[in-house]
Amino acid sequence: MAWRGRDVITALDFDRRDLEELFEVAREMEAYARSRRDVLRGKVLAVAFFEPSTRTRLSFETAMKRLGGEVVGFSGPEGTSAEKGETFADTIRMLDAYADCIVVRHRAEGAAKLAAEIAEAPVINAGDGASNHPTQAMLDLYTMWRTFGRIDGLSIGVMGDIRHARTVNSLIQSLSNFDVSLYLIAPETLYPRREVLDLMERRSVRYVVVDNAKEVIGKLDVLYVVRIQKERFLDPLEYERVKGSYRVTPELLSRGKPHLLVMHPLPRVDEIDPAVDSTPHAGYFRQASLGVPLRMALLYMVLGE
Ligand code: NCD
């Protein structure tokens, strides 16, 4: 499907060909990620972040500026008319009147889809509740593609709060376009939601669910870790019960393959021992830095001439 003017709402909307096309452009953009390539001069990007963010917002803003475009927006409802009671729909209508593309993050599931229905300009979902974070999944797959030169054939462990992490939901959706083996590693209360299991079954993804990384660590090429999503728990006691229940250590990684790549969308809390940072397995900082060229490619493909 053509990229130009397209909304980016869920990872499932992008098939293997879309992703491979994006990755080729991102690869070219890496050469400009610390300089400039003025292909979006005169375009304005609106970033509407109703929920906290560091990497996603700043990498979108950096990407737009490296492409010669301008950025307007806010990084929390404070200071906007949302505080006076303006509806989400009206805020989006205004941004649509000002900007050429709108990036939205919101705590409510479905917020980006609603924004896309309201706005004429393309809308990019930068995370809505516990459900979707498609550009993170694009970045995650791009990191694997850059590291291994392929995605097919990889054995990928996904460890942590699989139930609540939107990054995991989008990651699994995106990976279902490729021939991979998934090992979902989580304490039982954080096991995948039914819809995620259904998706993997429908799309014939090979997967197993285990509660301990030790059982599978030796099989993995990638170990993708996520923090426990404290803010998504309905019951604080439930959070207290699982807090600190998993942790990646150099000792655990010493049982893995020499090329095992540890990934994390960040922020991390306590699920990766900082001692892992100085091992060759640590891939999460490079992953985060690839967010700029990947989002440059995305903005260019959606907004470019
Ligand atoms: C993630 C998110 O916001 O969902 N952060 C990010 O965008 N890199 C992951 C998280 O908050 O755990």
Side-chain angles (χ1 to χ4, degrees):
M1 199 172 151
W3 276 87
R4 184 119 205 273
R6 193 164 174 187
D7 296 313
V8 180
I9 306 301
T10 84
L12 273 184
D13 303 335
F14 296 84
D15 64 18
R16 187 186 173 110
R17 276 190 46 203
D18 294 327
L19 293 171
E20 285 170 349
E21 205 184 331
L22 177 71
F23 297 164
E24 296 292 348
V25 178
R27 181 77 187 83
E28 286 168 35
M29 290 296 182
E30 282 186 35
Y32 302 92
R34 292 216 162 252
S35 58
R36 259 180 102 103
R37 190 177 185 188
D38 276 357
V39 288
L40 294 184
R41 203 171 24 209
K43 301 275 186 198
V44 176
L45 179 72
V47 291
F49 278 61
F50 295 87
E51 220 193 21
S53 169
T54 304
R55 274 150 293 267
T56 304
R57 182 172 64 84
L58 295 179
S59 63
F60 263 114
E61 294 193 7
T62 305
M64 190 62 181
K65 291 178 185 218
R66 297 286 189 203
L67 295 172
E70 307 284 337
V71 180
V72 297
F74 51 86
S75 54
E78 319 77 38
T80 74
S81 288
E83 298 240 298
K84 303 181 195 165
E86 183 168 61
T87 62
F88 175 73
D90 280 358
T91 303
I92 295 298
R93 265 184 206 107
M94 291 333 302
L95 296 176
D96 189 33
Y98 303 151
D100 301 295
C101 178
I102 306 169
V103 180
V104 185
R105 169 171 288 192
H106 202 285
R107 66 188 312 276
E109 292 194 26
K113 184 163 182 287
L114 175 63
E117 282 161 16
I118 295 165
E120 292 281 323
V123 169
I124 299 178
N125 185 0
D128 63 331
S131 50
N132 293 291
H133 194 348
T135 71
Q136 180 69 44
M138 290 168 178
L139 164 58
D140 297 338
L141 267 68
Y142 181 60
T143 305
M144 295 177 199
W145 185 82
R146 282 291 276 122
T147 305
F148 296 99
R150 65 190 161 89
I151 294 172
D152 286 327
L154 294 179
S155 290
I156 300 163
V158 181
M159 178 180 189
D161 191 351
I162 294 171
R163 173 163 290 273
H164 303 103
R166 57 194 176 195
T167 56
V168 169
N169 190 35
S170 290
L171 176 74
I172 292 174
Q173 290 182 352
S174 263
L175 286 173
S176 72
N177 290 304
F178 295 86
D179 179 26
V180 294
S181 299
L182 294 184
Y183 297 84
L184 307 179
I185 309 157
E188 227 173 293
T189 45
L190 303 179
Y191 270 13
R193 288 176 283 184
R194 185 72 247 168
E195 74 225 51
V196 174
L197 299 173
D198 287 347
L199 172 95
M200 291 188 292
E201 263 143 45
R202 211 167 56 239
R203 301 189 51 142
S204 313
V205 178
R206 283 184 302 278
Y207 75 92
V208 291
V209 187
V210 295
D211 62 11
N212 196 321
K214 283 190 189 130
E215 293 173 36
V216 297
I217 190 81
K219 302 185 201 287
L220 306 179
D221 302 301
V222 174
L223 178 61
Y224 186 100
V225 190
V226 279
R227 72 182 168 91
I228 296 185
Q229 311 278 304
K230 183 179 179 184
E231 69 277 27
R232 313 260 182 245
F233 279 73
L234 293 176
D235 177 358
L237 276 179
E238 197 53 50
Y239 168 73
E240 289 301 322
R241 270 195 285 273
V242 289
K243 190 173 86 178
S245 57
Y246 55 93
R247 187 170 166 88
V248 178
T249 59
E251 195 275 318
L252 174 69
L253 298 175
S254 69
R255 303 165 184 234
K257 294 181 184 172
H259 67 251
L260 172 60
L261 181 74
V262 180
M263 296 178 59
H264 193 303
L266 303 177
R268 64 173 158 177
V269 185
D270 59 1
E271 60 282 354
I272 298 184
D273 183 338
V276 173
D277 298 0
S278 55
T279 71
H281 302 293
Y284 28 93
F285 295 124
R286 175 162 183 256
Q287 176 188 1
S289 68
L290 290 174
V292 172
L294 186 282
R295 291 187 169 104
M296 286 171 79
L298 181 66
L299 291 172
Y300 175 61
M301 290 172 81
V302 170
L303 281 175
E305 296 303 328

